[in-house]
Amino acid sequence: MRIGILTISDRAADGRYQDQGGPAIEAWLAARITSPWTPDRRIVPDGIEPVSAALIDLADRAGAGLILTTGGTGPAPRDLTPEALARVIDREMPGFGEAMRAASLKTVPTAILSRQTAGLRGSTLIVTLPGKPAAIGVCLDAVFPAIPWCLELTGAGRIDAAGAFRPA
C-alpha cells in the first residue's frame, strides 16, 4: 500500500520551518501498520491550487490508496485545505471530521475551529489532519480504526494495523 503524506504549509514549503507534521504522521503509521506499506511524503504551500494538484498526483499518478494531509484546516485566510479537497473528491466522508473534532474537543476547546474532513477520489481515501503533531495523534487515534476497512470497501487494498476494526 502506498500512503501519501502531504504537509501543507507556506513556511515548510519555502524552508522557513522544518516540517514536523509529515514525520509525525509517518511515525504514527509506522508504529501501527503491520503489513507492507510505502510512504510518499511531500510538502506544498497553502492554497487551493498546489494542494489540489498534489492530491491528484498522489492519487492518480503515484497510486496512493490513502492520503493523509497535515495543515491548512484552520480558519486563517491561507487555510484552504478543505476547499482544495472539495475540488478533487468524488464523495465526501463527513464522519471522519466529526470524529476528529469530537476527540480533539476532549483536550482543547479550540477544536471547534478545525475544518478537518475526508473524502474519496476513486478508491483513494483522503483524510485532512491538523498541523500540530500532538493533534495529529489524537485525530488518527480517533479515525484510524475504520480506515483499513474503508480501504478494502473502496478497492484501494488491504492494510493490517493494530487496532483496526473489521466487521465479522
Side-chain angles (χ1 to χ4, degrees), residues 6-164:
L6 181 63
T7 298
I8 300 153
S9 166
D10 288 332
R11 294 181 304 140
D14 70 13
R16 287 182 286 148
Y17 168 84
Q18 184 175 359
D19 175 25
Q20 296 177 3
I25 292 171
E26 188 170 345
W28 192 97
L29 294 172
R32 286 159 183 85
I33 296 177
T34 57
S35 56
W37 66 287
T38 303
D40 188 340
R41 274 189 32 211
R42 302 182 187 187
I43 301 173
V44 296
D46 289 286
I48 293 173
E49 295 306 324
V51 175
S52 295
L55 292 172
I56 290 168
D57 188 64
L58 282 164
D60 298 357
R61 291 175 209 47
L66 172 64
I67 301 170
L68 301 173
T69 74
T70 176
T73 59
R78 296 278 298 151
D79 290 339
L80 298 171
T81 299
E83 288 76 12
L85 179 70
R87 282 198 181 177
V88 304
I89 60 172
D90 306 314
R91 294 182 286 164
E92 188 178 5
M93 301 290 288
F96 283 87
E98 294 163 5
M100 289 187 281
R101 279 184 290 282
S104 295
L105 272 169
K106 293 176 184 173
T107 60
V108 294
T110 54
I112 61 171
L113 302 177
S114 167
R115 299 182 318 122
Q116 285 112 340
T117 189
L120 295 167
R121 178 176 178 85
S123 63
T124 302
L125 175 63
I126 305 169
V127 181
T128 65
L129 299 167
K132 295 187 184 285
I136 288 167
V138 168
C139 289
L140 282 173
D141 285 343
V143 300
F144 199 82
I147 287 178
W149 181 239
C150 182
L151 296 174
E152 284 187 55
L153 290 173
T154 66
R158 181 182 174 99
I159 57 173
D160 295 313

